[in-house]
Amino acid sequence: MTRPPPPARTSRRARGAVAVLFFVNGGVFANAVPRYPELKAGLALSNAGFGSVVAAFPLGALLVGTIAGVLVGRWGSARTAVAASVVLAANLVFIGVAPSWWALACALFVAGSFDAIADVAANAQGLRVERLYGRSILNSLHGVWSIGAVVGGLTGAAAAGLHVPVSWHLATAAVLFAGLALAASRFLLRGPDTTAVAGVGRVRLRLIASVGLLGVVAAMANVIEDVGATWGAVYLRGDLGAGPAMAGTAFIALQATQTIGRLLGDRAVTRFGDRAVARTGATTAGLAMAVALIFPAPVTTVIAFGIVGLGIATLVPASARAADTAPGLPPGLGLTLIGTVDRLALIAAAPLIGAVGDAYGLRTGLALIPVGAAVVVILAVTLHDGGPARGRAGGHQA
């Protein structure tokens, strides 16, 4: 395999800048999540009332996120990503000072909307930079997103522990993250975005369907991750009798190994291709969780969640790469389509597992993980068979 030449200085700067945007996208809203109990108590909301408020975030992402591709096509991924990141950060102020249920719901709706737009635009920009490199870098960028989410969550938790007022904490975070996005903007790739494989003609239904299948691959990865976040501790604590500290390690194991897999996955993808890496990872993840469910025990379950995190690490970047290179789609539209499918699946997954858990036990509900992994193995045929090609279109600079 021929090694690509070292990237130019402009490419290296662009990679650093888009990494900052991924860090910002991961860290902004993660600052607010640990303050949820105080926001709920401050507005005297019931569990149902607060649940309906929180639902505004995915609703905004689903509804407004659909225009992300249009914005990228009109303004370019660089401008769109920076603008959306700044608005997303600034919106933290409104979350922190929301005086009522409806005001907090509106702020979370805005947060979900601009989080989705920033996500699509940052991925589009990252894929432009990747094409200049001639090898996979998108996995590591998603790894930086994971690091940002961890840093944001730890910051929020520390602020809560130190009894820093929510409004002060979130306003400070807003300034810092908006400043990071603006500082990165000067090094991004400017000019119009183009897809990696040029195409002409009408966007046909068959093409939309094929990109939709890529969305299912990404959705299965994110649903599996969400299952670990939402139900891992509940399953360990309630069904397996683990202690509080042990119960929390399921999600930690999944997140830690997924981050490691993303940071190290680019070399494997460049050598073996997205399809082979996805199939191997999904097969390993599905088998590990299936064994843990057949022979339930706290330690083996935590280990299984760790293997699952490693197995799904490259799936979302692989889906994004294939969607962005679909011939005949305007810039950003493929990424928008897979994002829409992904959010629909996430909205449906949690209540589905809860309903199955109530009827048949949570152990049965968690079977969604090996089932989702099997779906990925089947649909991996839609992913690239080789690593990112060198010298494809999309690297234009102004």
Side-chain angles (χ1 to χ4, degrees):
M1 178 177 178
T2 304
R3 294 177 60 88
R9 185 181 181 187
T10 301
S11 303
R12 295 196 302 270
R13 285 183 171 183
R15 181 179 183 177
V18 76
V20 170
L21 293 182
F22 271 86
F23 180 86
V24 168
N25 188 248
V28 168
F29 194 70
N31 267 271
V33 173
R35 310 309 298 262
Y36 271 3
E38 293 155 275
L39 293 171
K40 177 177 178 291
L43 298 177
L45 297 174
S46 65
N47 288 330
F50 188 67
S52 62
V53 167
V54 173
F57 185 96
L59 182 63
L62 181 63
L63 296 180
V64 181
T66 56
I67 70 169
V70 176
L71 297 177
V72 169
R74 175 66 179 85
W75 300 105
S77 59
R79 290 182 179 179
T80 304
V82 172
S85 298
V86 170
V87 174
L88 179 64
N91 187 61
L92 285 176
V93 175
F94 297 98
I95 294 175
V97 300
S100 62
W101 176 93
W102 70 267
L104 182 57
C106 288
L108 292 180
F109 184 90
V110 171
S113 301
F114 282 91
D115 178 78
I117 294 170
D119 177 67
V120 168
N123 273 283
Q125 178 72 192
L127 286 162
R128 280 186 69 180
V129 178
E130 180 178 85
R131 291 190 285 273
L132 292 181
Y133 268 69
R135 57 181 172 83
S136 176
I137 66 168
L138 192 62
N139 290 289
S140 63
L141 293 175
H142 280 254
V144 173
W145 184 97
S146 298
I147 293 172
V150 171
V151 170
L154 291 174
T155 302
L162 294 172
H163 304 291
V164 178
V166 177
S167 57
W168 292 9
H169 160 223
L170 295 185
T172 302
V175 172
L176 292 176
F177 281 109
L180 282 174
L182 290 171
S185 64
R186 61 176 296 194
F187 300 112
L188 297 171
L189 300 179
R190 301 289 180 174
D193 290 77
T194 58
T195 53
V197 179
V200 295
R202 294 177 298 175
V203 178
R204 298 180 180 178
L205 186 61
R206 184 177 178 180
L207 176 59
I208 297 296
S210 67
V211 176
L213 294 178
L214 292 170
V216 174
V217 173
M220 290 302 99
N222 282 326
V223 164
I224 289 171
E225 179 184 354
D226 191 62
V227 168
T230 305
W231 301 106
V234 177
Y235 173 65
L236 280 165
R237 184 86 168 129
D239 291 52
L240 302 185
M246 181 71 173
T249 58
F251 179 61
I252 294 172
L254 190 152
Q255 282 294 326
T257 55
Q258 180 175 247
T259 302
I260 293 171
R262 285 175 169 176
L263 292 174
L264 301 179
D266 286 319
R267 181 170 295 183
V269 167
T270 299
R271 181 172 181 181
F272 301 108
D274 283 316
R275 187 182 303 174
V277 173
R279 281 178 171 161
T280 301
T283 300
T284 304
L287 289 175
M289 186 52 65
V291 170
L293 292 174
I294 294 171
F295 304 103
V299 173
T300 55
T301 299
V302 172
I303 292 173
F305 272 109
I307 295 173
V308 166
L310 191 64
I312 67 173
T314 66
L315 296 181
V316 174
S319 301
R321 182 179 295 113
D324 190 58
T325 61
L329 290 183
L333 180 57
L335 296 173
T336 301
L337 289 172
I338 66 170
T340 301
V341 174
D342 182 25
R343 292 177 192 104
L344 285 170
L346 285 172
I347 289 173
L352 173 62
I353 294 177
V356 172
D358 285 342
Y360 305 104
L362 193 52
R363 183 178 168 194
T364 302
L366 290 180
L368 179 61
I369 293 179
V371 170
V375 171
V376 171
V377 173
I378 295 171
L379 296 184
V381 67
T382 61
L383 301 175
H384 287 167
D385 193 25
R390 190 169 10 138
R392 292 182 293 189
H396 172 270
Q397 298 176 61

